[in-house]
Amino acid sequence: MLITHDTRCALDTVVDLVNTVPEDEAAPDGLADLAALQEFVGTHDISDVGVLSELDLSAVRRIRGRFAAVFAAPDARTAAGLINDLVAAAGTTPRLTDHDGYDWHIHYFAPGASVADHLTADCGMALAFFVVAGEQERLRRCEAPDCRRAFVDLSRNRSRRYCDSRTCGNRLHVAAYRARRKEAAG
């Protein structure tokens, strides 16, 4: 599956957006306030959003929950329905653009769109490409028992199980190794 630069950026953005949701009640919200939203927008180089407000923060929090549902969708039909609803609500308006040193690419949001509509349109379309390509199962949640972070499995054989092999994957492998050693010594 060919993934263009702008699609990859949108995928990274939607994964990071979904992962701002607190994993439990003790965890902090990754979009706790307007400053956190401004940092998110800056980190992901989200263009054409103007001055952000509390209304933007509320809207972005709403859509991140809807994007989280796409990663939890049990099948492509369910994911497609969720994505269709998201993209339709954003008033998607595809247009070609070349800005900020990037070659021609497609923006799916209308000029002057809110940050929530911008994210919904671009990220929704990036996820739609995966469903269209028959790759919806690549939109996953970490399999570590104490982690449910979202990620996109871009491995060649669709075998990635953890959000980060250096943290969740390594931690589980070390625990399994120690358990085997303890049993063998037993």
Side-chain angles (χ1 to χ4, degrees):
M1 177 176 180
L2 175 67
I3 300 173
T4 62
H5 171 77
D6 50 317
T7 299
R8 180 59 192 256
C9 289
L11 289 171
D12 291 344
T13 300
V14 73
V15 164
D16 288 348
L17 178 62
V18 168
N19 289 334
T20 65
V21 175
E23 290 188 35
D24 58 43
E25 301 187 2
D29 187 324
L31 290 177
D33 54 27
L34 195 54
L37 178 59
Q38 289 168 332
E39 183 177 338
F40 183 88
V41 166
T43 299
H44 293 283
D45 293 324
I46 301 170
S47 60
D48 297 330
V49 295
V51 177
L52 299 174
S53 70
E54 290 293 329
L55 291 174
D56 291 313
L57 179 61
S58 297
V60 171
R61 284 180 179 160
R62 276 192 305 278
I63 64 161
R64 78 175 171 181
R66 296 179 71 190
F67 277 124
V70 174
F71 281 84
D75 54 51
R77 183 164 305 282
T78 303
L82 294 166
I83 293 167
N84 283 340
D85 290 346
L86 275 161
V87 171
T92 307
T93 308
R95 63 189 169 93
L96 288 167
T97 184
D98 64 339
H99 62 88
D100 298 330
Y102 294 109
D103 205 358
W104 289 105
H105 59 283
I106 301 173
H107 280 186
Y108 294 96
F109 59 93
S114 70
V115 67
D117 285 346
H118 177 133
L119 289 169
T120 301
D122 275 357
C123 295
M125 291 305 299
L127 295 175
F129 295 141
F130 274 75
V131 174
V132 167
E135 301 285 354
Q136 180 262 335
E137 75 276 358
R138 289 182 181 268
L139 308 176
R140 297 191 174 163
R141 291 291 190 156
C142 184
E143 291 182 18
D146 58 341
C147 180
R148 296 299 300 149
R149 292 178 59 85
F151 68 94
V152 178
D153 179 3
L154 297 177
S155 67
R156 182 174 289 168
N157 62 358
R158 297 173 190 84
S159 62
R160 188 169 159 200
R161 298 175 48 206
Y162 307 110
C163 63
D164 187 343
S165 61
R166 291 173 302 197
T167 55
C168 290
N170 193 39
R171 188 170 26 88
L172 289 175
H173 289 117
V174 168
Y177 171 76
R178 288 179 180 158
R180 285 192 306 272
R181 294 268 316 219
K182 184 176 180 180
E183 186 178 306

